[in-house]
Amino acid sequence: MSTVTTMRHHPVAIVGAGLGGLTLARVLSAHGVEAAVFDLDASPAARTQGGMLDIHEDTGQRALRAAGLHEEFRALVLPGGEAVRVLDKDAVVRHAEADDGTGGRPEVDRGALRDLLLGSLPGGTVRWGAKVTGARALGGGRHEVALADGTAFTTDLLVGADGAWSRIRPLLSAARPAYTGVSFVEADLPEADARHPVSAEVVGGGLLFALGPGRGFLAHREPDGSLHVYAALRVAEDWVDGVDFTDVEAAKAYVLEHFTGWDKSLRALVADAPGPLTPRLIHALPVGHRWERVPGVTLLGDAAHLMSPFAGEGANLAMLDGAELGRALVAHPGERETALAAYEEGLFPRSAAAADASAANGTALFAEDAPQAVVDLFTAHP
């Protein structure tokens, strides 16, 4: 006698428990709509969530207000984190802004913000250790989603919130992220005031840009007193293959070859890091990426509009996408396609504008006259 296995069905399925997917789940939950979130990580603590985020008044904070979490968010803000310093390769300060507490882009730890969103959801909303390997249309707007453990589920509404290399995007678009020409190498300096006072002074209380043609150091202070540093380089995509990054000293020397002649206090941001150094290739989808309406499926965040980080909009837009999609679904109960069309009508122009700004800022950061173009940007738009 054969056994018939019934495939699990979820009316709303969100792939990816990043900030955007969790914001969508929170907005839906706050309006009594249940969503199932699937994430490949084994647990919320499976990996670190990255460094600081500046949460913008008109995007990320707007999303947190829609999610009913703005007051809780304010408690996570790093005092003084909006301070900015722009230096040249000789460590001469070319521009500085203090954080007087009145700015619209307060800094918070990404992990703390994610924990806030996770804590606002009903238990069991996120299915951890659920790696999506693909999805296919079943007709009528329904989809079947396959998981790495061999199981699958069906859904009436599938949302790809699964980042740069989204497994859901191919249902809507053939676009693939392309290398932008910029690579980062990440490093951390713990207990900076006590152990790395020169670096602590160079970075200041907030964000540092130390720039020259085609390269620079970007750094910020973390709530635990450490400094998170990015050495940024315009290099070929295979540049990261030129050294074994598990050999910390060899990796430092490899990176610092690009900063010969730079002030010792800036080189120390990498030279004094205890390790490890982590390379990151910066990819982006085409500016203005969009798709034709496909029943029962949509994208948000990096899955929809991966861009370089040079406008600070990635996480902010992901959260706003989640909030706006949630609001559209709540505003059009039982009218899924109307809600998705309304959401995408707003999504495409705002993400195109942000991606264009990110690309332009990236050009300014590493221009031949760097850091002058960045100083001009801050002067024009304080």
Side-chain angles (χ1 to χ4, degrees), residues 22-47:
L22 293 176
T23 301
L24 169 57
R26 163 63 184 180
V27 171
L28 291 176
S29 174
H31 289 86
V33 179
E34 182 180 345
V37 182
F38 297 83
D39 196 88
L40 58 81
D41 283 346
S43 73
R47 58 191 172 92

Side-chain angles (χ1 to χ4, degrees), residues 78-86 93 95-107 203-208 378 381-382:
L78 173 65
E82 286 188 80
V84 176
R85 289 161 57 84
V86 182
V93 178
H95 180 78
E97 296 178 9
D99 179 359
D100 61 4
T102 64
R105 297 186 169 197
E107 296 273 338
V203 173
L207 180 62
L208 167 74
F378 276 113
H381 305 285

Side-chain angles (χ1 to χ4, degrees), residues 14 18-29 31 59-60 62-64 66-67 117 159-161 298-302 304-305 314-330 343 347 350:
I14 303 165
L19 298 178
L22 293 176
T23 301
L24 169 57
R26 163 63 184 180
V27 171
L28 291 176
S29 174
H31 289 86
T59 48
R62 184 170 141 202
L64 287 162
L117 287 162
V159 181
T298 193
L299 306 172
L300 62 78
D302 285 352
H305 46 65
N316 283 281
L317 283 183
M319 294 168 64
L320 183 59
D321 292 349
E324 292 295 284
L325 177 53
R327 287 157 61 99
L329 291 166
V330 169
Y343 159 69
L347 167 73
R350 72 168 172 263

Side-chain angles (χ1 to χ4, degrees), residues 261-293:
W262 284 53
D263 190 83
K264 184 178 180 180
S265 66
L266 298 175
R267 288 171 56 88
L269 294 170
V270 167
D272 292 350
L277 271 59
T278 306
R280 308 275 187 203
L281 278 67
I282 307 302
H283 290 80
L285 284 165
V287 173
H289 176 240
R290 60 189 300 148
W291 54 88
E292 298 299 322
R293 174 91 295 282

